[in-house]
């Protein structure tokens, strides 16, 4: 059988192979060249054309700034008792953008953003009020623009650690039927889950007064976080208490912050601690005594101040009514100012001091040697000054005036006629000079916001008529704050005026360095001899005169009563301010104590009987806390109603 011959395939020559593949290689080469041109063009566009734009975007989009809030400084009393602190806790923040990011803790979860929102609302709704979550419900998650992300907001500013733990432990059935296409929800969690995507709990703190009402008018308050101060020391010393915020930037990706990329831009500086001159224990006792008296007399308000007579340190300063710092609220619209508890009556509301100012007029006349302790004055109960007439009180057995009396008697009986005579001997310029030296007409610069300066007209700018000179001499036609008046009485210690001081020291929270504040400013007003004579006169007020209800068993004390009418609509009303300001003890003065009750109700509205007993109660406590030795026997002179006078 014939066999077929097998033909070998002809090999392609190199020339033929080149001819066949050349077009293909050309096409691939052109494609690669075009690709390189496109990539190069894109690179040029990004690196050169859009360099500035993308650099700026990288800093804002991929680098996130973070502000570190410093711890606010604490506030202590003079003995280191804590008054205001920062209570640690957590805030609750919701970031809706995290609902669009894969679940890093459970990669198999394929739940939709709508599901995550519903889950967050389920859990948070158990612990936080509906209004704070309303914005979450209003978000339109179907229209998300990466260049304009959803806002991140704070649901709660401060939450206790226990509440946060309950939120974290809360589990709800996570299978909300929000997705219309159930196929998209295939693989979604259908089991209880406590994780809340997009919800974080950064550390936070809130400002808390240890005793909510103690020294509230002095301390003031802030918002809950402590970032915005309102009133009091919190406002006036905010620059020291607040510290300086820190700034940190870090790189982020779609899952959040990239660890290890933090860069400190500004170092955080915690706030300094503040030490006040207040004695917290005495402040508490003063507030209790004042509050009881205001309630007893159904009064509009009251003030009590205790100063260290040797240096002007404010040991206690209370206003009534008071308020709770931890629950401070703005007054309702239309509320009368007199009823707003946050008014610091000690320095925000000037008033006519009445007879308490007489001590300054008489001291000035003594210092200028216009009168002596033995000078005699005649009082028939009234005196005509040109076309005007001034009167003395006709109560307490002096229905036809005080008769003939020496200078001590003028102080004891609170005689308007004789005091006006002392003012006339001084003249307007000298009396004005001494009153300004006593601190009248100027703010004390204690360092609290809202302090008023009162009213004392300069006779060189507006001439004082003879009747003006007379009335100003005994405390009418002039207005002062209780703090001004209390500070003025420091002069009767050693003859020097001592400005009130409220801040004793500050302590750096980092270095622990204590920086003592300088003593308050002082200047001489009276000689020591005149000051000692005036203390003797003021002692007579308590022992024999209008201030007998202020007697302190076991201690000498001196002071001056005041019963001033409240002016309304240009006339004096039938409402009064009962006040008492005095010094204790007399032999070695330690304290100036002022007590004031505004508009006491009832027949008894006089300074001696209304404000005097408060002075006594506060002075006893202050002397006991300082362990001041007794300087007289523990006897009290009985009040003789027939001979006790009441000042006009």
């Amino acid at each position: 059988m014939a066999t077929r011959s097998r033909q070998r395939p002809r090999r392609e020559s190199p020339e033929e192979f080149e001819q066949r593949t050349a077009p293909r290689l050309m096409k691939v080469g052109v494609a690669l060249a075009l690709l390189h041109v496109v990539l190069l063009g894109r690179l040029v566009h990004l690196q050169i054309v859009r360099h500035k734009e993308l650099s700026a975007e990288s800093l804002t989009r991929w680098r996130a700034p973070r502000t570190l809030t410093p711890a606010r400084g604490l506030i202590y009393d003079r003995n280191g008792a804590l008054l205001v602190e920062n209570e640690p806790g957590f805030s609750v923040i919701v970031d809706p953008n995290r609902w669009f990011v894969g679940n890093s803790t459970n990669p198999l979860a394929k739940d939709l953003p709508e599901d995550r929102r519903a889950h967050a609302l389920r859990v948070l709704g158990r612990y936080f009020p509906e209004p704070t979550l309303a914005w979450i419900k209003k978000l339109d998650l179907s229209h998300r623009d990466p260049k304009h992300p959803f806002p991140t907001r704070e649901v709660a500013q401060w939450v206790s650690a226990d509440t946060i733990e309950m939120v974290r432990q809360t589990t709800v059935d996570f299978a909300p039927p929000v997705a219309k296409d159930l196929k998209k929800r295939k693989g979604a969690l259908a089991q209880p889950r406590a994780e809340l995507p997009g919800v974080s709990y950064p550390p936070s703190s809130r400002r808390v007064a240890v005793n909510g009402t103690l020294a509230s008018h002095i301390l003031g308050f802030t918002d809950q976080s402590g970032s915005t101060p309102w009133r009091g020391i919190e406002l006036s010393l905010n620059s020291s208490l607040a510290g300086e915020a820190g700034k940190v930037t870090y790189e982020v990706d779609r899952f959040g912050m990239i660890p290890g990329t933090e860069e400190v831009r500004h170092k955080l500086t915690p706030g300094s601690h503040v030490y006040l001159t207040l004695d917290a224990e005495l402040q508490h006792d003063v507030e209790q005594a004042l509050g009881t008296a205001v309630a007893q007399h159904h009064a509009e308000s009251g003030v009590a101040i205790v100063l260290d007579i040797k240096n002007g340190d404010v040991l206690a300063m209370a206003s009534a009514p008071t308020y709770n710092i931890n629950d401070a609220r703005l007054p309702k619209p239309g509320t009368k100012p007199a009823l707003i508890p946050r008014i610091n009556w000690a320095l925000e509301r000037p008033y006519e001091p009445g007879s308490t100012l007489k001590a300054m007029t008489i001291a000035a006349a003594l210092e200028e040697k216009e009168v002596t302790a033995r000078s005699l004055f005649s009082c028939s109960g009234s005196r005509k000054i040109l076309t005007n007439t001034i009167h003395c009180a006709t109560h307490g057995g002096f229905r036809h005036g005080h008769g003939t009396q020496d200078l001590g008697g003028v102080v004891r009986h609170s005689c308007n006629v004789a005091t006006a005579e002392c003012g006339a001997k001084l003249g307007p310029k000298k009396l004005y000079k001494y009153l300004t030296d006593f601190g009248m007409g100027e703010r004390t610069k204690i360092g609290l916001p809202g302090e008023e300066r009162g009213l004392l007209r300069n006779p060189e700018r507006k001439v004082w008529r003879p009747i003006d000179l007379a009335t100003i001499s005994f405390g009418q036609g002039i207005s002062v704050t209780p703090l001004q008046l209390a500070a003025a009485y420091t002069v009767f210690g050693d003859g020097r005026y001592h400005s009130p001081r409220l801040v004793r020291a500050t302590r750096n929270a980092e270095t622990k360095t204590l920086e003592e504040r300088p003593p308050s400013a002082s200047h001489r007003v009276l000689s020591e001899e005149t000051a000692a004579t005036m203390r003797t006169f003021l002692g007579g007020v308590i022992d024999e005169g209008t201030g007998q209800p202020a007697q302190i068993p076991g201690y000498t004390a001196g002071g001056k009563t005041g019963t001033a009418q409240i002016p309304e609509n240009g006339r004096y009303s039938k409402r009064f301010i009962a006040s008492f300001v005095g010094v204790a003890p007399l032999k070695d003065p330690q304290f100036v104590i002022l007590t004031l009750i505004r508009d006491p109700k009832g027949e008894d509205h006089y300074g001696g009987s209304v404000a005097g007993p408060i002075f006594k109660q506060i002075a006893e406590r202050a002397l006991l806390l300082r362990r001041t030795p007794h300087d007289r026997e523990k006897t009290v002179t009985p009040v003789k109603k027939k001979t006790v006078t009441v000042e006009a």
Side-chain angles (χ1 to χ4, degrees):
M1 186 170 82
T3 60
R4 296 178 61 182
S5 61
R6 299 177 60 184
Q7 295 181 354
R8 293 183 178 181
R10 189 175 66 85
R11 289 187 176 182
E12 188 176 30
S13 66
E15 291 78 8
E16 292 174 334
F17 176 79
E18 184 177 353
Q19 290 178 358
R20 182 174 59 83
T21 59
R24 297 178 184 177
L25 292 174
M26 179 64 69
K27 292 179 181 179
V28 172
V30 171
L32 290 175
L34 290 175
L35 179 62
H36 278 81
V37 170
V38 171
L39 292 176
L40 182 61
R42 180 63 174 168
L43 187 62
V44 170
H45 179 70
L46 295 176
Q47 293 284 356
I48 299 177
V49 178
R50 297 187 61 194
H51 173 73
K52 292 184 179 180
E53 176 188 351
L54 295 176
S55 296
E57 183 178 350
S58 68
L59 293 177
T60 58
R61 190 171 179 182
W62 303 112
R63 290 186 65 81
R66 182 183 177 190
T67 300
L68 304 178
T69 304
R72 193 169 178 84
L74 309 183
I75 303 178
Y76 299 88
D77 83 336
R78 67 185 300 111
N79 300 314
L82 184 61
L83 300 176
V84 182
E85 63 179 343
N86 302 312
E87 185 177 0
F90 299 88
S91 59
V92 179
I93 296 177
V94 176
D95 181 5
N97 303 287
R98 297 288 294 165
W99 297 335
F100 296 86
V101 179
N103 190 339
S104 58
T105 60
N106 200 334
L108 297 179
K110 299 179 181 178
D111 44 293
L112 301 177
E114 291 88 348
D115 298 336
R116 296 183 176 184
R117 170 167 64 182
H119 179 54
L121 286 171
R122 271 179 163 82
V123 176
L124 296 178
R126 296 186 177 186
Y127 301 96
F128 304 104
E130 179 71 21
T132 63
L133 305 176
W135 68 276
I136 301 177
K137 296 181 179 180
K138 295 179 181 179
L139 292 175
D140 185 1
L141 301 184
S142 62
H143 295 83
R144 179 174 180 256
D145 184 357
K147 292 185 178 180
H148 300 88
F150 292 110
T152 299
R153 293 187 183 178
E154 197 172 47
V155 170
Q157 200 172 49
W158 184 93
V159 181
S160 67
D162 293 340
T163 302
I164 293 297
E165 186 61 27
M166 287 191 292
V167 173
R168 285 174 167 163
Q169 295 300 324
T170 299
T171 58
V172 296
D173 182 14
F174 183 68
V178 276
K180 295 180 180 179
D181 188 353
L182 296 180
K183 291 182 179 180
K184 292 182 179 180
R185 300 186 67 250
K186 185 178 181 180
L189 292 180
Q191 61 183 10
R193 184 175 73 170
E195 178 205 359
L196 292 182
V199 181
S200 59
Y201 316 99
S204 177
S205 66
R206 67 174 177 178
R207 198 70 166 162
V208 176
V210 177
N211 182 331
T213 59
L214 185 71
S216 57
H217 297 93
I218 295 175
L219 299 175
F221 56 93
T222 68
D223 61 358
Q224 192 177 56
S225 66
S227 59
T228 304
W230 290 1
R231 303 182 72 86
I233 287 293
E234 293 279 21
L235 178 59
S236 62
L237 290 185
N238 183 57
S239 58
S240 297
L241 291 166
E244 295 184 18
K247 294 183 179 179
V248 175
T249 58
Y250 52 85
E251 296 180 11
V252 295
D253 59 14
R254 65 188 185 125
F255 296 105
M257 184 181 74
I258 301 176
T261 62
E262 291 189 4
E263 180 181 351
V264 178
R265 296 288 184 181
H266 191 281
K267 183 183 176 183
L268 179 146
T269 304
S272 298
H273 305 317
V274 172
Y275 292 81
L276 303 180
T277 60
L278 292 180
D279 184 318
E281 190 172 355
L282 179 60
Q283 177 75 24
H284 176 270
D285 295 335
V286 168
E287 290 183 5
Q288 290 290 317
L290 180 65
T292 300
V294 169
Q296 176 185 347
H297 294 282
H298 305 284
E300 179 182 12
S301 62
V303 176
I305 300 172
V306 182
L307 302 181
D308 189 321
I309 198 172
K310 297 182 184 298
N311 54 29
D313 280 1
V314 180
L315 304 177
M317 184 165 65
S319 287
T322 187
Y323 68 96
N324 191 323
I325 296 174
N326 299 328
D327 191 28
R329 295 290 184 269
L330 288 173
K332 296 179 180 179
T335 303
K336 294 181 180 179
L339 302 179
I340 298 176
R342 293 192 329 210
I343 293 176
N344 188 345
W345 292 92
L347 49 83
E348 293 183 24
R349 294 294 186 271
Y351 71 105
E352 287 194 353
S355 297
T356 53
L357 191 88
K358 293 174 181 175
M360 301 177 211
T361 302
I362 293 170
L366 264 176
E367 183 71 13
E368 288 295 314
K369 296 182 172 50
E370 297 291 347
V371 296
T372 67
R374 297 181 179 181
S375 296
L376 298 179
F377 300 84
S378 178
C379 172
S380 61
S382 65
R383 175 171 295 179
K384 194 168 184 178
I385 300 178
L386 297 181
T387 59
N388 301 99
T389 303
I390 60 173
H391 300 273
C392 274
T394 57
H395 302 280
F398 293 97
R399 299 187 182 277
H400 302 289
H402 299 111
T404 301
Q405 56 191 336
D406 60 13
L407 199 58
V410 172
V411 179
R412 285 197 307 275
H413 304 143
S414 195
C415 179
N416 288 348
V417 171
T419 305
E421 186 176 338
C422 290
K425 291 178 180 295
L426 286 167
K429 290 185 179 180
K430 283 187 179 180
L431 180 58
Y432 175 79
K433 173 189 176 299
Y434 273 94
L435 290 179
T436 54
D437 285 347
F438 273 99
M440 303 297 102
E442 295 293 336
R443 295 180 180 88
T444 66
K445 299 179 181 178
I446 191 175
L448 289 176
E451 182 180 11
E452 293 288 342
R453 63 186 302 169
L455 175 64
L456 175 60
R457 299 191 305 272
N458 188 332
E460 293 184 354
R461 297 177 183 174
K462 186 173 182 179
V463 177
W464 291 7
R465 299 171 300 166
I467 188 62
D468 296 327
L469 178 59
T471 56
I472 290 174
S473 298
F474 52 76
Q476 293 181 359
I478 177 177
S479 68
V480 303
T481 66
L483 183 61
Q484 282 178 322
L485 187 60
Y489 270 63
T490 62
V491 174
F492 300 130
D494 59 359
R496 299 185 66 86
Y497 172 86
H498 298 277
S499 298
R501 184 178 73 152
L502 186 56
V503 179
R504 189 176 186 181
T506 57
R507 183 185 293 276
N508 187 294
E510 288 186 320
T511 64
K512 310 301 180 185
T513 303
L514 187 69
E515 180 183 349
E516 292 280 352
R517 290 292 180 97
S520 62
S522 67
H523 59 264
R524 181 159 296 284
V525 180
L526 305 174
S527 64
E528 293 188 9
E529 293 77 13
T530 302
T533 301
M534 286 304 303
R535 289 200 302 273
T536 302
F537 292 166
L538 295 174
V541 173
I542 286 184
D543 288 341
E544 306 174 41
T546 58
Q548 291 185 44
Q551 291 180 10
I552 310 170
Y555 293 97
T556 56
K560 189 71 191 72
T561 56
T563 306
Q565 290 175 279
I566 299 176
E568 292 180 349
N569 301 321
R571 295 186 176 185
Y572 287 107
S573 68
K574 294 183 179 181
R575 300 194 302 140
F576 298 86
I577 295 178
S579 61
F580 188 93
V581 56
V583 176
L586 291 181
K587 296 179 181 178
D588 181 19
Q590 300 291 319
F591 307 104
V592 170
I593 301 174
L594 177 144
T595 56
L596 179 151
I597 301 296
R598 183 183 180 90
D599 192 19
K601 306 300 188 296
E603 295 182 1
D604 192 355
H605 56 260
Y606 300 109
S609 53
V610 173
I614 314 172
F615 170 90
K616 171 186 175 181
Q617 185 178 351
I618 293 174
E620 285 181 320
R621 187 59 180 162
L623 292 164
L624 177 63
L625 288 175
R626 188 167 282 193
R627 296 180 174 82
T628 306
H630 294 280
D631 63 350
R632 74 187 305 176
E633 296 181 1
K634 293 185 179 181
T635 57
V636 176
T637 304
V639 177
K640 300 178 181 178
K641 294 184 179 180
K642 293 184 179 181
T643 59
V644 175
T645 62
V646 181
E647 73 283 0

